Amino acid sequence: MSASLNKILLSENEIPTHWYNIQADMPNPTLPPLHPGTKQPVGPDDLAPLFPMGLILQEVSQEQFVEIPDEVRDIYKIWRPTPLYRARRLEKFLDTPAKIYYKYEGVSPSGSHKTNTAVAQAYYSKQEGVKKITTETGAGQWGTALSIACQMFGIECDVYMVRISYDQKPYRRAMINAFGANVYPSPSDRTQAGRNILASDPDTPGSLGIAISEAIECAVQDEHTKYALGSVLNHVLMHQTIIGEECLIQLEKAGDFPDVVIAPLGGGSNFAGISFPFLRHKFKNGSNIRCVAVEPASCPKLTQGEFRYDFGDSAGYTPLLPMYTLGHNFRPAAIHAGGLRYHGASVLCSQLLKDGLIEAVALQQLECFEAGITFARTEGIVAAPEANHGIAQAIREALVAKEEGKSKTILFNLCGHGHLDMQAYQDYFDGKLQDHYLTKEELTSGLKELEGFPSV
Ligand SMILES: *Cc1c(COP(=O)(O)O)cnc(C)c1O
């Protein structure tokens, strides 16, 4: 590889043909999701009102590789393969012997990795004659991704957007409209769940939990409508492995292999996407590659939560999932990385952490914004506030390498751009952002509510 190479590009015919299903290779299988009423493992029929059967089968599949349908691969070609960059200017600025690579998922139509699963989910819904998909969105990334995916397959799309984001992010909303979806502030008067909340608290800012309840309520009431989730579930994580599979090919071309793979973690999908294909090598060859998930210090389920059964949503509509959690009623502070403000971590990432196969670290938001600004000024990309968490950890690793005087190869996932998050940057420049230190009471109150839930 020439000393001045900045990015490693693949051609369209090098897009991987299969997603990787880590369930086939995990040393310990995950515990089953439980029905909250019967406490028995949920079966495919329990999930059928919400999800198309093609996705339910992927959720429990033990097949190591799942073929990507041609129609999905064709749509992936709009933005895939995504570039793998060598961050030479950042390396120079840090004066580190480490090599830093980043995979850039911000080139997708929605500006983040979310489109990788949105297109797949819309495809399997179309296969089964679904007419409409409902979903929630917080920061707006997922709503944007699903709206363009539904448009591609001629499916109607209703997005329930947390009211405070709906009001604060008019351009996200306009983007969802541009891609052809309907977007409603949540809580809305369109559902019983929404009307109940509005009656008791007309000025509520809303929450992801409420928006999920509204989207689910609409899906279960109409047999031609399904619901879609943008993270957490096994099939969602599997669709994202296209990221890491491309990285494997790109790094081979560069003649390199990472010592550490880093990604931010909200529910776990972009972390899984980049790290699971590398974990396959760890399982197979015993390589001691480290995979580090980065969470915000204000929502530290991996580093301070407990591994136990909990609901995936605040309202308690979902099955009970075995995961690291702070409790489904944990209310994270209003930090700017909206995509990382989720109380639990996906079942797959949780089991891997419990088994010591991945690592986790929690970072404060000021360090992350500072890292994002260093990155913008050296590499020329303004990253999403969520992605800044990965950048900050990569910088930490590079500085350790400098201190130790050792070279190492760092790979991180630049999961999205921040072009629609500039208010957050402005708030940072205006000195309005703060770090958050949780009290013991804040950390434990959500967990206390889980007493009596089935044990792991
Ligand atoms: C949604 C989102 C996240 C968090 O979700 P994961 O499932 O953990 O990936 C992180 N970054 C961006 C840019 C997002 O849109």
Side-chain angles (χ1 to χ4, degrees), residues 7-19:
K7 58 186 180 300
I8 300 135
L9 300 172
L10 301 176
S11 66
E12 285 180 7
N13 55 25
E14 289 174 287
I15 295 178
T17 54
H18 291 72
W19 292 300

Side-chain angles (χ1 to χ4, degrees), residues 366-399:
L366 291 182
E367 177 181 344
C368 295
F369 270 94
E370 197 183 315
I373 287 179
T374 298
F375 189 76
R377 291 180 185 176
T378 50
E379 294 293 314
I381 297 175
V382 177
E386 293 85 0
N388 285 343
H389 288 69
I391 298 172
Q393 182 61 22
I395 290 178
R396 279 189 177 202
E397 299 277 350
L399 293 177

Side-chain angles (χ1 to χ4, degrees), residues 112-114 141 230-231 264-271 339-340 384 386-387 415-416:
S112 83
H113 64 285
K114 295 273 189 348
Q141 288 274 12
S231 183
L265 188 142
S269 74
N270 90 86
F271 171 78
L340 305 183
E386 293 85 0
C415 51

Side-chain angles (χ1 to χ4, degrees), residues 278-430:
F278 289 95
L279 281 171
R280 179 170 76 241
H281 283 250
K282 187 181 173 104
F283 298 150
K284 218 193 266 160
N285 316 328
S287 79
N288 46 20
I289 184 169
R290 295 167 51 223
C291 297
V292 183
V294 190
E295 62 184 3
S298 57
C299 192
K301 58 255 184 175
L302 297 173
T303 54
Q304 309 232 43
E306 282 179 17
F307 182 76
R308 52 179 310 157
Y309 273 105
D310 192 7
F311 288 114
D313 67 321
S314 325
Y317 283 175
T318 69
L320 290 165
L321 304 171
M323 60 182 181
Y324 278 94
T325 179
L326 294 161
H328 57 279
N329 279 324
F330 180 80
R331 292 278 169 272
I335 59 157
H336 265 299
L340 305 183
R341 296 174 66 236
Y342 181 67
H343 67 275
S346 69
V347 171
L348 289 170
C349 293
S350 294
Q351 185 67 44
L352 291 166
L353 181 66
K354 181 162 182 291
D355 291 339
L357 295 163
I358 63 171
E359 298 171 29
V361 58
L363 300 184
Q364 293 285 358
Q365 71 172 348
L366 291 182
E367 177 181 344
C368 295
F369 270 94
E370 197 183 315
I373 287 179
T374 298
F375 189 76
R377 291 180 185 176
T378 50
E379 294 293 314
I381 297 175
V382 177
E386 293 85 0
N388 285 343
H389 288 69
I391 298 172
Q393 182 61 22
I395 290 178
R396 279 189 177 202
E397 299 277 350
L399 293 177
V400 169
K402 178 177 173 177
E403 225 170 82
E404 294 175 343
K406 274 193 233 154
S407 178
K408 71 176 156 186
T409 301
I410 299 167
L411 168 67
F412 74 88
N413 199 19
L414 192 65
C415 51
H417 69 64
H419 298 180
L420 295 175
D421 302 294
M422 296 318 293
Q423 188 61 51
Y425 279 84
Q426 193 58 53
D427 289 349
Y428 173 78
F429 292 130
D430 292 344

Side-chain angles (χ1 to χ4, degrees), residues 4-5 108 198 259 399 436:
S4 61
L5 201 56
S108 88
L198 286 174
D259 297 298
L399 293 177
H436 288 274

